[in-house]
Amino acid sequence: MDEERALYIVRAGEAGAIERVLRDYSDKHRATFKFESTDEDKRKKLCEGIFKVLVKDVPTTCQVSCLEVLRILSRDKKILVPVTTKENMQILLRLAKLHESDDSLEKVSEFPVIVESLKCLCNIVFNSQMAQQLSLELNLAAKLCNLLRKCKDRKFINDIKCFDLRLLFLLSLLHTDIRSQLRYELQGLPLLTQILESAFSIKWTDEYESAIDHNGPPLSPQETDCAIEALKALFNVTVDSWKVHKESDSHQFRVMAAVLRHCLLIVGPTEEKTEELHSNAVNLLSNVPVSCLDVLICPLTHGETAQEAATLDELPGDKTTEKDTVLKSNAMVYNGMNMEAIHVLLTFMEKRIDKGSSYREGLTPVLSLLTECSRAHRNIRKFLKDQVLPPLRDVTNRPEVGSTVRNKLVRLMTHVDLGVKQIAAEFLFVLCKERVDSLLKYTGYGNAAGLLAARGLLAGGRGDNWYSEDEDTDTEEYKNAKPKEELLKPMGLKPDGTITPLEEALSQYSVIEETSSDTD
């Protein structure tokens, strides 16, 4: 009935009447996502009628009402086939300022029309394969990038940027060819990085360092949504970019990583939005070549060093003896480097563990990222080792018992999901410099057995990667308890069927094999 009345007015009414009836329809169906199949034909005709109105010279308010209803109707995939034509797509492109003209975005009155047109395009492209094909034919990706360049430094049009970016994300998600076009032909990597810089209001203090105001206000909801859409689009653009082939690529990835470091150190309007923002930053960091992740840490600035000195001056008594304690008590500093971003990643990881669900989607990206950072960058590994595997003092409880980060990760080493337990074990193994004896010290043999068996290290030894030879000192508590650990050894069967330490059993089998190979 609603569609019938609206269709009648759209076909025969004047602009004011069309606007009123469509506004009523939009208000009634704003939250409608499932439609009655009996009215399908009427909705198709209403869509066609709306497109005919949009080509006329009608007031902006009438255009907005038309587009709002079109956006609602475009949620229904079944009605899109007859209305998704090249002509209709071009109507929406013109209204969204995505046509070939070099029009600037000066008329504020047109902004609602642009935003609603972009919303319609998002729905139509997502729900219609024909629209996806037409997007390629009409070179929609290039038009979207052009619109972004017009508004990248203008904060009062965040809604336009947000839905432009969302449409760019959808296109690059649905068409792998567009990812390559965005990356190389359209220079999407620097463009989208600049959009992030604008959203975060970044002020650079060095080539890859930005000023962080810890007392500043959180991002606005609009800035946060815009940043999230840019992060998602950048993920698609860089998804196959784990290798750097040119120096210019390396520089651009370092700039992006520095922007992502800034992203990790700021907050959104709510805790949920902050987590969503950081989650997308983690996903994107996973696409950055590991050699470029060194910008996640940086030397302490003069101001930070002066602040530490001021803290020392406030200490009573002998300041020199207290110095190490003060520096170590600051969890964000290690070896003269600012570790704030790594600390945020570690905290993010622990929160994802504590959620207790969706580990594969929510936890493995950040665990993989921390693992690769630790493997490639010594300072990051040593900082994380101090945080995750501090010197052992509690030697009475099993490694998986307790509430520390180590206890939580050790429990994951026997998780039912193979991917989750593998990356948790790999992370701890890398923190132990891939030394079996060190891993067993912190995790226990039973928890580590799966990783060691997969790597052929059940008898001991170390992995294939090289690490610096810094010492792993033992606490007095561990030294006293260490002899008792000899009660648990990896065992194996000798050729005669008796049990013996695994190393001895393997050596006996080796002798038998050599003897057998000498006989004909």
Side-chain angles (χ1 to χ4, degrees):
M1 190 66 181
D2 292 333
E3 285 84 1
E4 247 181 59
R5 176 170 172 266
L7 181 58
Y8 176 78
I9 300 294
V10 164
R11 282 176 169 173
E14 49 84 30
I18 293 173
E19 181 182 341
R20 286 191 296 274
V21 73
L22 291 182
R23 191 187 303 127
D24 289 343
Y25 185 94
S26 176
D27 291 340
K28 186 173 181 179
H29 295 280
R30 196 174 301 277
T32 301
F33 289 88
K34 291 185 178 179
F35 299 88
E36 295 291 335
S37 57
T38 53
D39 295 327
E40 186 177 309
D41 189 56
K42 295 174 186 175
R43 291 195 300 277
K44 289 178 183 177
K45 291 177 180 177
L46 181 56
C47 280
E48 291 169 345
I50 287 173
F51 274 110
K52 289 177 181 177
V53 174
L54 288 172
V55 296
K56 298 177 181 178
D57 185 18
V58 294
T60 298
T61 52
C62 183
Q63 288 179 323
V64 171
S65 295
C66 286
L67 291 165
E68 284 178 344
V69 173
L70 185 61
R71 170 170 54 83
I72 292 169
L73 295 174
S74 63
R75 296 167 182 167
D76 184 3
K77 294 182 180 181
K78 295 178 182 176
I79 70 162
L80 290 179
V81 175
V83 299
T84 307
T85 64
K86 186 174 182 179
E87 181 184 1
N88 288 341
M89 287 285 285
Q90 287 174 324
I91 291 171
L92 291 175
L93 295 186
R94 176 178 57 80
L95 292 171
K97 297 295 183 183
L98 292 170
H99 52 311
E100 300 301 330
S101 169
D102 290 330
D103 290 351
S104 60
L105 300 175
E106 297 297 337
K107 295 182 181 178
V108 177
S109 60
E110 294 179 340
F111 289 179
V113 175
I114 299 173
V115 171
E116 283 300 325
S117 300
L118 288 169
K119 288 179 181 180
C120 288
L121 284 166
C122 285
N123 280 2
I124 292 171
V125 167
F126 182 70
N127 287 321
S128 167
Q129 289 187 343
M130 176 62 72
Q132 293 165 21
Q133 192 59 41
L134 285 169
S135 298
L136 291 174
E137 185 180 332
L138 294 168
N139 201 13
L140 181 53
K143 292 176 169 60
L144 288 168
C145 287
N146 187 46
L147 180 60
L148 278 178
R149 290 187 176 95
K150 292 179 183 178
C151 63
K152 67 182 180 183
D153 295 322
R154 302 174 64 179
K155 292 194 172 185
F156 56 88
I157 50 178
N158 270 325
D159 282 346
I160 296 177
K161 284 194 285 189
C162 185
F163 288 102
D164 183 306
L165 289 163
R166 182 171 298 178
L167 186 50
L168 204 57
F169 162 72
L170 287 172
L171 287 174
S172 56
L173 176 70
L174 297 166
H175 285 287
T176 55
D177 291 345
I178 288 181
R179 297 176 193 171
S180 179
Q181 182 192 15
L182 277 171
R183 174 76 190 280
Y184 299 105
E185 178 188 333
L186 301 175
Q187 293 297 297
L189 185 55
L191 173 62
L192 293 171
T193 302
Q194 288 166 11
I195 293 292
L196 282 177
E197 287 184 50
S198 175
F200 299 147
S201 301
I202 288 182
K203 294 180 176 61
W204 295 105
T205 59
D206 205 341
E207 187 176 21
Y208 304 122
E209 293 180 36
S210 61
I212 305 292
D213 182 5
H214 293 290
N215 298 317
L219 291 178
S220 70
Q222 295 80 11
E223 289 168 337
T224 306
D225 288 341
C226 186
I228 289 170
E229 295 300 334
L231 290 168
K232 288 158 61 177
L234 266 169
F235 179 86
N236 288 345
V237 172
T238 61
V239 71
D240 300 317
S241 303
W242 59 275
K243 287 185 177 180
V244 177
H245 301 290
K246 297 184 296 186
E247 189 62 32
S248 59
D249 290 336
S250 178
H251 168 70
Q252 189 56 56
F253 275 114
R254 277 193 161 83
V255 171
M256 187 176 77
V259 171
L260 294 176
R261 177 184 183 273
H262 188 101
C263 177
L264 292 172
L265 300 181
I266 56 179
V267 296
T270 64
E271 186 176 344
E272 292 75 19
K273 277 296 180 182
T274 300
E275 182 171 354
E276 185 181 359
L277 182 69
H278 289 177
S279 178
N280 280 283
V282 167
N283 291 340
L284 182 51
L285 280 168
S286 300
N287 289 350
V288 176
V290 69
S291 61
C292 300
L293 292 175
D294 54 345
V295 300
L296 289 178
I297 62 175
C298 56
L300 292 180
T301 65
H302 176 72
E304 289 167 329
T305 307
Q307 187 175 4
E308 286 182 352
T311 307
L312 286 171
D313 290 340
E314 294 168 6
L315 289 171
D318 185 358
K319 299 178 179 59
T320 55
T321 59
E322 301 263 0
K323 180 176 181 181
D324 290 338
T325 306
V326 172
L327 293 180
K328 288 177 182 177
S329 68
N330 184 350
M332 314 303 172
V333 177
Y334 186 86
N335 198 23
M337 304 296 287
N338 186 322
M339 294 286 180
E340 284 181 296
I342 304 301
H343 189 267
V344 170
L345 290 172
L346 185 60
T347 303
F348 179 86
M349 178 202 74
E350 189 171 8
K351 285 181 179 178
R352 287 296 170 94
I353 294 176
D354 292 342
K355 278 191 173 181
S357 61
S358 302
Y359 280 159
R360 181 174 285 275
E361 300 81 13
L363 177 62
T364 54
V366 67
L367 261 179
S368 298
L369 175 63
L370 289 174
T371 301
E372 293 308 313
C373 284
S374 300
R375 183 176 279 127
H377 303 288
R378 178 173 178 264
N379 276 324
I380 294 178
R381 175 181 58 78
K382 294 187 72 174
F383 170 76
L384 288 171
K385 171 74 181 300
D386 277 4
Q387 299 293 308
V388 177
L389 302 176
L392 277 178
R393 300 197 181 280
D394 179 8
V395 292
T396 58
N397 292 314
R398 294 170 62 87
E400 66 271 21
V401 176
S403 58
T404 67
V405 183
R406 174 177 76 103
N407 302 142
K408 295 172 183 178
L409 285 166
V410 171
R411 286 196 287 272
L412 289 179
M413 294 174 77
T414 54
H415 195 271
V416 293
D417 188 305
L418 180 62
V420 172
K421 73 177 182 181
Q422 283 180 337
I423 190 59
E426 184 75 11
F427 177 50
L428 293 174
F429 195 41
V430 169
L431 293 188
C432 293
K433 297 186 293 186
E434 301 191 21
R435 286 173 42 190
V436 172
D437 56 344
S438 182
L439 181 68
L440 296 182
K441 168 182 162 181
Y442 289 104
T443 69
Y445 186 79
N447 294 313
L451 177 136
L452 298 180
R455 285 174 165 257
L457 294 172
L458 283 170
R462 65 186 305 166
D464 298 329
N465 294 288
W466 180 89
Y467 296 87
S468 60
E469 294 299 328
D470 44 294
E471 293 185 3
D472 184 14
T473 56
D474 293 333
T475 62
E476 289 300 320
E477 292 89 342
Y478 180 74
K479 289 178 181 177
N480 293 332
K482 189 172 182 180
K484 301 175 185 177
E485 292 188 345
E486 295 300 319
L487 296 174
L488 181 61
K489 285 185 176 181
M491 306 297 284
L493 287 175
K494 293 197 296 185
D496 61 4
T498 59
I499 296 177
T500 188
L502 182 60
E503 188 173 4
E504 183 180 337
L506 291 174
S507 65
Q508 291 196 19
Y509 278 107
S510 297
V511 171
I512 292 174
E513 186 177 341
E514 290 174 4
T515 304
S516 301
S517 65
D518 290 338
T519 60
D520 189 351

